Amino acid sequence: MKDTPLSNCERDFLLKAIEEKKRLDGRQTYDYRKMKIKFGTDYGCCFVDLGKTRVMAQVSCELVAPKENRPNEGLMFCNIELSPMASPAFELGRPSELSVKLNRQLERCLRNSKCIDTESLCVVSGEKVWQIRVDVHMLNHDGNLMDAISIAAITALCHFRRPDVAVQGDDVTVFSPEERDPIPLSIYHMPISVSFAFFLQGTYLLVDPCEPEERVMDGLLMIAMNKHREICSIQSSGGIMLLKDQVNHHDRKIASVKVSEITELITKALENDKAARKAGGRCGFAESVPQERITALKKEETSVEMTDVTDRASEIVEKAEVPSQTVPSPVVPVPGVGQVGQGLQDTWGLEEEEEEEEDEEGGEEQEEKEITMEVEQHEKDSRGGYFEFSPSIR
Amino acid sequence: MAGLELLSDQGYRIDGRKATELRKVQARMGVFAQADGSAYLEQGNTKALAVVYGPHEMRGSRSRTRHDRAVINCQYSMATFSTAERKRRPHGDRKSTEMSLHLKQTFEAAIMTQLYPRSQIDIYVKILQSDGGNYSVCVNAATLAVIDAGIPMRDYVCACTVGFVDESPLADLCYAEESGGVSSLALALLPRSGQIALLQMDARLHQDNLDSMIEAAMTACKGVSKVLDEVVRQHLQEVSVLSRE
């Protein structure tokens, strides 16, 4: 089945909203959607929710013969499955252009940046090495698949444990998890991809585009970085042109901030899961879904204090100034050229000033965000390896 | 690292070039009579053939027709004898599908597609011998073929790869350097406006070094564009002399 195309009305509405610096889900330009990382019961199984986008990654391993030119290096293989389950636009059969693109980008992100130590995966040089396989399945497509995929893949790799082996002479013994504790992979760094979508001939830029936004975007720039501020891969796509200065400063600054945030979240999620497993508590995906309820109708509970909301809101509304109706008129250097911020200036650096203005305007909104921003500790305790996070907007 | 010295203390690379030196570029336009445009380009030992058909009526599935511009269809393939190990599939594997996608993207940005609504432009590129920088050689060859076909472009599209070794960028990597595990960056540039049509980077690199790499890549692309310009002028001169007679 082909995807239903976006109507002109919807398209215009979206673009107009972007022009006015508004987004469908109330986010700011550089905000990520709410991100959740969960783990399955097995090692190396990870679910990532990015707003409504949901992907699952499963890491597995097997013993294979190494490549002839690299006799003492293990192999890593990535596979991305775009099943029709995630979106009606995905079809079974031959891999689509999108799937090839995502697949290659993930491989570049993980393999070419050498994030795992492949030499430690060698068992018998030239004969047997471990092949690590990363399978990523789309469960729901709501935009920004690449970021979700990269987070799921690297988290699953960090979570994965391979069976221990012993070599005696020519005999290779693979121990089951009961006999010997499985061994984690040695991970050098965690590359995480951050996507930037360009709109209206590159005049506007958004981080983490959702599905409707992805449909109206002109181009996409994916930057994979690790927390050491090293760039692991860059890929521009779509027919958008970029100017050198833009790629240079702004995007990287934003990317490095986002990457350090996400890395922190992943480490926390991993620690929580480890603690839950150690405590012998319940863990895994099934545990995180409430029983006797249909999953599709499952609603996330957010602990929002409702006692004096109306009072506070009206107070804020009274104090707030009327938002100006002026639409920003950005300077387009050359048509078809992507840019960050407006008027070729580093608006990223001016963020603090803008922030203050926004505080006054969107006070009510701010209020709610602050509440949901807290990591929901109690929920995590009751559900084992379950961890929730809302990206900070500051 | 294979322990290979990619840049000697004297500043020479394994094939005797300086760090910023390009490989020798040789090209010919109009190598086939059947096609609307064709070109052959050698960059060092990497050799590519590009053929352009179109703009013509949409073929195959009509649903891809765009009412406001032309659709660009690219196919990248590598001859089975192009690499040291014989290739099993000349095209259709993941790498070449990706390369086709990138070529398509590059030329969608460069060709003035809005002039040919409801039509299609086919670009076929074949690598005859592969010695590093396949993407950039393909782009350069295809640019010449598109010019030969008389399809209007915003500018030449020039592409070049750049590697990073010992704190200095190396322009136009050959296969030995590419496989030596250096971080490499491929960039397709429209030299006159300085717009980047495609940017792709592999491997780890600290973000502070990116500036110098992009800078080096842009200089290299401008170098390539000079050569391409010369080839086009030469070709036109030859053709005009022939037609006068």
Side-chain angles (χ1 to χ4, degrees), chain A residues 69-70 73 112 114, chain B residues 1-4 6 14 84 95 130-133 161 163 165 170 172-184 202-203:
Chain A
N69 47 356
R70 303 247 159 104
E73 279 184 31
N112 293 13
K114 301 199 177 63
Chain B
M1 296 285 157
L4 207 61
L6 294 173
I14 28 183
K95 267 189 189 159
S130 156
D131 185 33
T161 49
V165 173
L170 304 185
D172 197 12
L173 301 180
C174 66
Y175 181 73
E177 289 167 330
E178 247 178 21
S179 56
V182 298
S183 26
S184 76
D202 286 357

Side-chain angles (χ1 to χ4, degrees), chain A residues 35-60:
Chain A
M35 190 187 300
K36 266 188 260 164
I37 298 175
K38 292 175 225 163
F39 296 98
T41 356
D42 284 348
Y43 279 123
C45 180
C46 169
F47 292 81
V48 169
D49 289 63
L50 193 59
K52 278 183 189 156
T53 298
R54 167 176 274 195
V55 300
M56 186 198 88
Q58 172 72 56
V59 179
S60 49

Side-chain angles (χ1 to χ4, degrees), chain A residues 27 29 53 61 100 112 128 135 233 260 328 359 365 389:
Chain A
R27 281 181 289 158
T29 321
T53 298
C61 66
V100 172
N112 293 13
K128 276 197 166 49
D135 283 288
S233 90
S260 51
D359 273 0
E365 210 176 82
F389 168 84

